[in-house]
Amino acid sequence: MNKINFIFAFFIAFAIIGCDIVEPPYRKGGDITPVDTTKKKVLLEDFTGFRCGNCPEATHVAEMIANQYPGRVIVIALHAGPLAVPTPIRRYDFRTQETNELATFYGLIATPYGLVNRRQYVGQNLLAPTAWGGYVQEQLNVDADLKMYLETDFNESTREISLQVQLEYLRQGNVNHNLAVYILEDSVVQYQQDDRQPAIHISDYVHNHVMRGSFTGTWGLPVSDVAVSAGSKLTVPFKYTISSERDWRPSKLSLVAFVHDNTTKEVIQVEQIKLFKE
């Protein structure tokens, strides 16, 4: 067994461990999603908090950028930092193990700040919202190293998500590429402080792009322990069962998969798919 096949055998084993047998009924998610461009897509991660009065404006900036480049900019709201900590009055906790790990790794001390493909710009990873647009545009002009295709199914009886990620390398891939898969939820109605409003305490604020968890942990799993040659096509299956303790609504979930350099953490390519067809 060569090393690449060994890695995929590992992925398959990872996917099977702890998973129930998939039984119908199935709910078909989105079709395979092609990246029909030779340019990179951009992952824009917005560190936010529900007690951060300036964060709704940052969210607005992120969504404006995503709308400006339809299908090419993927936004994740990472609830972390001091103003994401629940209080005796505001008890809902958006934070996850992954958001806390990312905040610690990048030295987050305040919100809102963001990451653009997890690259450094002028020596900084954490960027103010006013800087996001320019760096997003810069990244969108970079040639893609690989394409990603996603396909998903959801078993409504077992609450099991099946995901298949296909990678097509356009150039030789480094040995340290990792593949990560995050789970997002839209339309989460909870409290948010919004300093733009006359009454800043918004009890029914709609939170979108909320990072809920992951298939792979914060930093993902290795694609291969050898360099992947240009032209290679790899397929990686995943399964994830949503615990009954979670208040997530499957119809509002989407999956974000991305390949990154596990040394620099820079995102190489990213793709998103909704769990349910619209």
Side-chain angles (χ1 to χ4, degrees):
M1 180 181 294
N2 63 39
K3 292 183 178 179
I4 293 179
N5 286 340
F6 174 82
I7 290 296
F8 289 125
F10 168 79
F11 272 127
I12 293 169
F14 171 82
I16 292 173
I17 292 171
C19 295
D20 297 327
I21 297 173
V22 181
E23 300 287 353
Y26 301 107
R27 181 82 178 224
K28 184 70 174 175
D31 294 328
I32 292 175
T33 306
V35 179
D36 56 358
T37 175
T38 58
K39 302 296 183 182
K40 290 181 74 168
K41 290 193 172 186
V42 173
L43 179 62
L44 174 55
E45 295 170 284
D46 172 19
F47 281 107
T48 189
F50 69 91
R51 293 191 290 121
C52 166
N54 292 320
C55 286
E57 178 59 25
T59 299
H60 176 65
V61 170
E63 291 181 340
M64 283 185 60
I65 294 170
N67 290 335
Q68 186 177 355
Y69 306 102
R72 298 197 60 202
V73 178
I74 294 167
V75 176
I76 299 180
L78 303 171
H79 287 257
L83 296 181
V85 177
T87 69
I89 297 176
R90 315 291 185 192
R91 298 182 179 180
Y92 195 85
D93 194 351
F94 285 96
R95 297 171 301 167
T96 69
Q97 178 178 336
E98 293 86 354
T99 63
N100 289 333
E101 287 181 357
L102 288 166
T104 298
F105 182 84
Y106 287 106
L108 183 76
I109 58 173
T111 46
Y113 277 96
L115 304 169
V116 175
N117 273 349
R118 298 186 180 177
R119 277 179 55 87
Q120 281 199 348
Y121 301 90
V122 198
Q124 300 291 326
N125 285 110
L126 291 174
L127 305 172
T130 52
W132 296 350
Y135 290 127
V136 164
Q137 186 177 36
E138 178 182 307
Q139 281 293 288
L140 289 172
N141 289 325
V142 176
D143 290 341
D145 289 336
L146 62 88
K147 294 182 179 180
M148 301 180 70
Y149 306 83
L150 309 182
E151 186 174 25
T152 186
D153 286 299
F154 181 65
N155 186 314
E156 294 182 271
S157 296
T158 63
R159 290 166 60 88
E160 183 181 71
I161 302 170
S162 300
L163 173 69
Q164 185 163 277
V165 180
Q166 298 178 18
L167 307 177
E168 180 181 352
Y169 273 80
L170 305 176
R171 296 177 177 78
Q172 179 166 311
N174 293 334
V175 67
N176 59 349
H177 282 184
N178 272 22
L179 173 61
V181 180
Y182 290 178
I183 304 168
L184 275 55
E185 185 174 6
D186 285 329
S187 305
V188 180
V189 179
Q190 285 290 341
Y191 170 81
Q192 174 70 52
Q193 182 174 327
D194 186 348
D195 289 352
R196 302 172 303 176
Q197 307 300 328
I200 64 173
H201 299 292
I202 312 297
S203 61
D204 57 353
Y205 184 89
V206 179
H207 297 261
N208 290 317
H209 323 291
V210 178
M211 168 75 165
R212 288 305 207 179
S214 73
F215 284 53
T216 57
T218 303
W219 305 113
L221 299 169
V223 171
S224 172
D225 61 356
V226 295
V228 181
S229 59
S232 295
K233 296 181 180 179
L234 315 174
T235 300
V236 187
F238 294 96
K239 292 188 186 297
Y240 182 96
T241 300
I242 303 173
S243 167
S244 59
E245 297 177 355
R246 303 289 191 185
D247 63 351
W248 308 348
R249 295 156 304 156
S251 63
K252 302 297 182 183
L253 298 181
S254 64
L255 309 177
V256 172
F258 60 95
V259 173
H260 68 101
D261 184 311
N262 199 37
T263 302
T264 66
K265 308 306 183 189
E266 180 180 343
V267 173
I268 308 299
Q269 190 57 286
V270 58
E271 189 54 271
Q272 182 174 25
I273 190 171
K274 291 184 179 297
L275 192 57
F276 286 11
K277 282 184 176 179
E278 292 182 338

